[in-house]
C-alpha cells in the first residue's frame, strides 16, 4: 500500500508544480468576479446567476484538470523511460495503475476543495448564507464522478496513441453522457427498431455521470439530496471506477513498454 | 536606384495615414455591421436573437427553480413568466399538465430523479429578482423582443415593488419599439397600479388603443386579447374616476373582442345603475 501512496504523492506534487490548475483557477475566479460585479436593476441581492456561472466553470475546470492530468501519466512515464526503474523497484503493474489513479483522484479532490471554497466565499458574501451540507454533497458527488472519469482516462491512455487523443475522446464521451444521459431513454422510445433496442442497451450500459451533477440543488437552494441516494451513487461510482481500472490493468499487463 | 529603408518606411507610413484619414468616413458605410447599435449586434449579428430567446427561456427556468422541460421532453408551451405577467395563476389542472416528467420509465430513471429537481414551484418572496439578469441580457441582445420589457417590468413592479426601475425599463423598451401596444399597456399598469397616477395611465392606454387601431387588420385579429386588456383597464380606470359613461364605452369596446362578453355586460349594467342613481 505504501508504494501506491508514494506513486500517488508524486502525481499530487506534479499537479501543484504544473500551471494547469493555477490558470484554470484564475480564469474561473476572474470570470466569476466579473459576473458578480455586474449590477442588474440596482439590485445587490441577485446571486443565482453568479452561482450558476461559477459552478459551470468549476465543472469545466475540474473535468479539464482530471482528464489532462490523467491522460499524460502513463505515456509520459514511457516517453521519459522512467517506467522501467519504477517497475524495477519492484512495483507491480497493478500498483502503478492504482497509484496513478489514486494520485490523480486526490489531486483533483484538492483542486475541487479550493474551487468550492472560492465559490462559497463569493456567493456567501453576496447572500450571507452558507449551506455547507449542500456544498459538501455537491463536492462529494462531483469528486465521485471524477473517479469514474479518471479511471476511464487511464484505460484510454493505455489503448490510444497520444494523450491528446485520449483527452479529446474522453471529453466528448463524458460531455455526451452529461448532456444526453438522462434523455437517452426518451430518445430511444422515439426511434424505430433496431435503433430503439440499441439505444436502450446503451442507456442501461453507460455510466450515468449526469446523476452526480447537483448544481441545480445548489443554485436554486433546493436543499439536500437524500443521503441513501448519495451513498448508492457513490457505490455505483466505485463499481464503474473498478471496472475501468480492471480493464486498464488487463491492457497494461500485456502492453509492451518500449516506445 | 537605391532607397533607404527608413525613407521607404516613412513614405509607407505617410501613405497609410493619408489613406486612413480619407477612407475612414466612407469605410463606415461599407459594412452593415458597423451600423449595429450595440456591442452584441456587432458581435453576433442577427444570431443574437437566438441567444436572446435562450436567455428569455433561462428566466423562465429560474422562475421554476430548474424544474423545466428540455427539448427532449417536448417543451412546446408559452413561457409561464409571460402568462404570469398577464395575471394567469396555475389551477390544479395546469399543475398536472406541467408535470412533464410523468412516471419513471425504469429504475435508472427513478433513481436518477433523486438528483434532479422534480417539484414544480415558482419563485416567491422577492426571489423573483433572480430572473432579472436573464431578462436584462435578453433585452440587450434583442431590443425588439417586447415581451422582455413587459415581463421584466411586471416582476419589478408587482413582485419587487421597484416601480421606478419598471418604468425606466419600459421607457427603454418604448424607445426601441415606439409602436408597441404591449409596452404601452404595461407602462399604463405601472402608472395606474404602481404610481397611482390615473391621468398618465389614461394617456398611455389611450395611446396604446390608437397604436393598436393603426395596425393592419390581421395583426389586430391576432392580438385582440391585448386590445381587450387595454380597453377593459381603461373602462375600470374611468369607473374609478367617476366617468361612468366613458367607462361603459370602453367596456363595450372590450365586449367586441372578449371571449366572455357576459361578464363585461354585468359590469356595464352595474355602471348604468350608478348613472341612474346619480341622475336626479
Amino acid at each position: 500500500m505504501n508504494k501506491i501512496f508514494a506513486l500517488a504523492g508524486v502525481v499530487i506534487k506534479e499537479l501543484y508544480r504544473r500551471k494547469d490548475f493555477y490558470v484554470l483557477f484564475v480564469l474561473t475566479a476572474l470570470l466569476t468576479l466579473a459576473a458578480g460585479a455586474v449590477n442588474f436593476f440596482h439590485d445587490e441581492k441577485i446571486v443565482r446567476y453568479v452561482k450558476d456561472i461559477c459552478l459551470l466553470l468549476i465543472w469545466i475546470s475540474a473535468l479539464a484538470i482530471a482528464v489532462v492530468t490523467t491522460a499524460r501519466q502513463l505515456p509520459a512515464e514511457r516517453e521519459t523511460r522512467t517506467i522501467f526503474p519504477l517497475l524495477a523497484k519492484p512495483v507491480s503493474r497493478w500498483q502503478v495503475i492504482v497509484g496513478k489513479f489514486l494520485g490523480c483522484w486526490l489531486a483533483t479532490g484538492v483542486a475541487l476543495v479550493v474551487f468550492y471554497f472560492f465559490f462559497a466565499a463569493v456567493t456567501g458574501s453576496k447572500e450571507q448564507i452558507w449551506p455547507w451540507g449542500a456544498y459538501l454533497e455537491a463536492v462529494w458527488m462531483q469528486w465521485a464522478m471524477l473517479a469514474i472519469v479518471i479511471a476511464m482516462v487511464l484505460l484510454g491512455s493505455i489503448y490510444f496513441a497520444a494523450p491528446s487523443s485520449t483527452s479529446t475522446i474522453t471529453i466528448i464521451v463524458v460531455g455526451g453522457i452529461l448532456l444526453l444521459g438522462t434523455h437517452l431513454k426518451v430518445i430511444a422510445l422515439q426511434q424505430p427498431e433496431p435503433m430503439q433496442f440499441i439505444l436502450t442497451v446503451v442507456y442501461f450500459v453507460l455510466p450515468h455521470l449526469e446523476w452526480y451533477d447537483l448544481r441545480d440543488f445548489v443554485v436554486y437552494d433546493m436543499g439536500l439530496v437524500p443521503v441513501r441516494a448519495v451513498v448508492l451513487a457513490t457505490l455505483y461510482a466505485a463499481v464503474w471506477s473498478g471496472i475501468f481500472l480492471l480493464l486498464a490493468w488487463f491492457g497494461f499487463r500485456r502492453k509492451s513498454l518500449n516506445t | 536606384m537605391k532607397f533607404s529603408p527608413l525613407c521607404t518606411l516613412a513614405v509607407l507610413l505617410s501613405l497609410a495615414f493619408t489613406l486612413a484619414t480619407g477612407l475612414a468616413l466612407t469605410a463606415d458605410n461599407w459594412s452593415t455591421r458597423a451600423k449595429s447599435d450595440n456591442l452584441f449586434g456587432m458581435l453576433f449579428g442577427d444570431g443574437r436573437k437566438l441567444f436572446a430567446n435562450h436567455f428569455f427561456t433561462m428566466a423562465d427556468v429560474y422562475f421554476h427553480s430548474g424544474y423545466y422541460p428540455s427539448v427532449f421532453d417536448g417543451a412546446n408551451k408559452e413561457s409561464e413568466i409571460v402568462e404570469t405577467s398577464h395575471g394567469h395563476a396555475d389551477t390544479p389542472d395546469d399543475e398536472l399538465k406541467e408535470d412533464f416528467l410523468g412516471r419513471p420509465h425504469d429504475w435508472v430513471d427513478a433513481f436518477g430523479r433523486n438528483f434532479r429537481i422534480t417539484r414544480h414551484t415558482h419563485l416567491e418572496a422577492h426571489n423573483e429578482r433572480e430572473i432579472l439578469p436573464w431578462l436584462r441580457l435578453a433585452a440587450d441582445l434583442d431590443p425588439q423582443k417586447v415581451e422582455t420589457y413587459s415581463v421584466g417590468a411586471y416582476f419589478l413592479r408587482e413582485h419587487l415593488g421597484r416601480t421606478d426601475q419598471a418604468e425606466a425599463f419600459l421607457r427603454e423598451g418604448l424607445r426601441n419599439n415606439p409602436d408597441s401596444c404591449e409596452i404601452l399597456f404595461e407602462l399604463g399598469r405601472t402608472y395606474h397600479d404602481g404610481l397611482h397616477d390615473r391621468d398618465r395611465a389614461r394617456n398611455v392606454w389611450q395611446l396604446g388603443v390608437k397604436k393598436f387601431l393603426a395596425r393592419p387588420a390581421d395583426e389586430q385579429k391576432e392580438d385582440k386579447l391585448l386590445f381587450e386588456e387595454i380597453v377593459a383597464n381603461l373602462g375600470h380606470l374611468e369607473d374609478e374616476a367617476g366617468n361612468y359613461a366613458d367607462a361603459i364605452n370602453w367596456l363595450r369596446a372590450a365586449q367586441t373582442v372578449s371571449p366572455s362578453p357576459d361578464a363585461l355586460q354585468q359590469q356595464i349594467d352595474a355602471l348604468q345603475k350608478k348613472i341612474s342613481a346619480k341622475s336626479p
Side-chain angles (χ1 to χ4, degrees):
Chain A
M1 207 62 190
N2 283 341
K3 290 170 187 169
I4 292 172
F5 281 118
L7 274 165
V10 174
V11 179
I12 295 169
K13 276 178 197 154
E14 188 194 321
L15 178 83
Y16 65 74
R17 279 179 193 152
R18 289 182 68 94
K19 294 188 185 79
D20 307 15
F21 167 71
Y22 304 108
V23 169
L24 287 167
F25 180 72
V26 169
L27 205 62
T28 301
L30 280 178
L31 289 173
T32 305
L33 292 173
V38 181
N39 189 328
F40 293 102
F41 299 101
H42 304 292
D43 195 329
E44 297 292 327
K45 290 182 183 166
I46 298 174
V47 70
R48 288 190 184 173
Y49 78 100
V50 183
K51 286 178 168 182
D52 210 345
I53 291 168
C54 188
L55 283 177
L56 176 68
L57 292 168
I58 289 174
W59 265 74
I60 293 169
S61 302
L63 192 63
I65 290 168
V67 170
V68 173
T69 307
T70 314
R72 63 171 170 247
Q73 290 302 320
L74 293 174
E77 296 277 12
R78 283 174 62 200
E79 263 178 39
T80 55
R81 296 182 170 275
T82 46
I83 192 84
F84 297 111
L86 190 67
L87 290 172
K89 284 284 179 191
V91 177
S92 63
R93 292 196 181 199
W94 75 265
Q95 283 172 325
V96 172
I97 292 285
V98 175
K100 291 289 184 188
F101 166 79
L102 197 65
C104 292
W105 190 51
L106 289 173
T108 314
V110 172
L112 268 186
V113 169
V114 175
F115 274 117
Y116 272 86
F117 263 112
F118 169 75
F119 170 77
V122 170
T123 56
S125 67
K126 264 184 124 65
E127 59 180 353
Q128 305 299 320
I129 52 163
W130 285 270
W132 290 112
Y135 292 170
L136 201 67
E137 270 193 346
V139 177
W140 175 256
M141 290 291 276
Q142 191 177 351
W143 198 29
M145 185 222 60
L146 288 172
I148 305 176
V149 174
I150 287 166
M152 197 190 283
V153 178
L154 265 181
L155 172 65
S157 70
I158 286 162
Y159 291 102
F160 297 122
S164 55
S165 49
T166 310
S167 304
T168 310
I169 291 166
T170 316
I171 285 174
I172 290 170
V173 170
V174 170
I177 294 174
L178 286 174
L179 288 173
L180 297 175
T182 312
H183 310 292
L184 206 54
K185 187 65 183 288
V186 177
I187 298 168
L189 292 173
Q190 293 163 0
Q191 305 301 315
E193 292 291 1
M195 203 47 160
Q196 189 179 110
F197 175 75
I198 294 166
L199 284 179
T200 307
V201 170
V202 172
Y203 171 75
F204 281 109
V205 167
L206 61 81
H208 283 274
L209 303 179
E210 76 279 1
W211 290 346
Y212 300 87
D213 182 359
L214 299 188
R215 282 180 296 156
D216 281 355
F217 284 82
V218 176
V219 171
Y220 302 117
D221 298 325
M222 295 304 272
L224 296 172
V225 172
V227 176
R228 188 174 162 272
V230 174
V231 172
L232 285 173
T234 308
L235 277 175
Y236 181 80
V239 169
W240 266 110
S241 305
I243 291 169
F244 284 131
L245 288 178
L246 210 61
L247 290 172
W249 174 61
F250 281 141
F252 192 51
R253 210 170 46 154
R254 294 174 187 168
K255 195 161 182 83
S256 162
L257 297 175
N258 295 317
T259 50
Chain B
M1 204 160 76
K2 280 190 177 177
F3 291 102
S4 137
L6 274 176
C7 196
T8 313
L9 190 66
V11 170
L12 286 173
L13 280 173
S14 315
L15 262 173
F17 180 75
T18 314
L19 284 170
T21 49
L23 292 173
L25 291 173
T26 47
D28 281 350
N29 300 323
W30 290 348
S31 164
T32 49
R33 280 194 302 169
K35 290 177 191 165
S36 300
D37 45 2
N38 63 25
L39 176 72
F40 294 119
M42 214 156 78
L43 283 174
F44 301 118
D46 276 350
R48 72 188 194 277
K49 288 183 182 174
L50 289 174
F51 289 102
N53 285 338
H54 175 71
F55 289 144
F56 191 80
T57 307
M58 278 303 291
D60 208 17
V61 174
Y62 269 49
F63 185 60
H64 287 92
S65 293
Y67 181 80
Y68 208 77
S70 69
V71 282
F72 304 108
D73 299 309
N76 191 25
K77 69 178 193 76
E78 190 172 11
S79 171
E80 211 170 325
I81 46 174
V82 176
E83 290 176 353
T84 307
S85 72
H86 285 274
H88 172 87
D90 275 354
T91 61
D93 278 350
D94 292 331
E95 294 279 342
L96 276 177
K97 277 181 207 161
E98 282 158 15
D99 176 22
F100 64 90
L101 286 174
R103 293 169 70 86
H105 295 116
D106 46 65
W107 69 268
V108 175
D109 189 16
F111 183 62
R113 288 186 188 191
N114 283 305
F115 313 106
R116 293 176 71 183
I117 309 288
T118 51
R119 270 182 300 150
H120 183 198
T121 54
H122 292 164
L123 289 179
E124 52 192 10
H126 287 199
N127 281 323
E128 295 92 339
R129 63 165 61 89
E130 301 293 349
I131 70 170
L132 295 176
W134 302 111
L135 294 175
R136 176 71 265 171
L137 284 170
D140 284 341
L141 284 163
D142 185 3
Q144 271 67 54
K145 191 174 169 67
V146 291
E147 289 145 315
T148 312
Y149 300 103
S150 55
V151 169
Y154 167 79
F155 279 98
L156 279 164
R157 171 180 59 81
E158 189 72 21
H159 293 268
L160 302 169
R162 310 278 304 279
T163 313
D164 53 336
Q165 292 292 323
E167 187 192 353
F169 196 38
L170 287 168
R171 288 273 169 207
E172 179 193 324
L174 207 55
R175 278 194 297 278
N176 292 319
N177 307 276
D179 294 326
S180 169
C181 306
E182 290 88 344
I183 294 177
L184 285 168
F185 169 59
E186 190 55 46
L187 191 59
R189 286 213 294 183
T190 305
Y191 288 136
H192 183 259
D193 303 346
L195 297 170
H196 308 292
D197 187 340
R198 213 176 277 155
D199 293 334
R200 288 172 85 182
R202 180 188 290 117
N203 290 341
V204 166
W205 278 334
Q206 282 179 351
L207 181 64
V209 172
K210 206 173 143 189
K211 298 260 186 196
F212 184 86
L213 295 175
R215 284 180 176 185
D218 50 339
E219 271 185 42
Q220 285 189 22
K221 209 174 172 183
E222 269 177 30
D223 283 343
K224 62 182 185 183
L225 287 177
L226 173 69
F227 178 72
E228 191 212 341
E229 278 185 308
I230 300 175
V231 289
N233 272 280
L234 269 167
H236 297 141
L237 181 145
E238 296 300 359
D239 179 14
E240 286 165 17
N243 306 324
Y244 302 130
D246 288 341
I248 289 172
N249 287 338
W250 287 122
L251 291 178
R252 282 204 176 123
Q255 257 186 323
T256 59
V257 288
S258 173
S260 51
D262 295 344
L264 288 166
Q265 187 56 48
Q266 284 175 3
Q267 292 176 34
I268 292 169
D269 293 344
L271 283 166
Q272 275 168 339
K273 276 181 193 164
K274 281 185 190 175
I275 292 173
S276 349
K278 217 174 155 185
S279 55

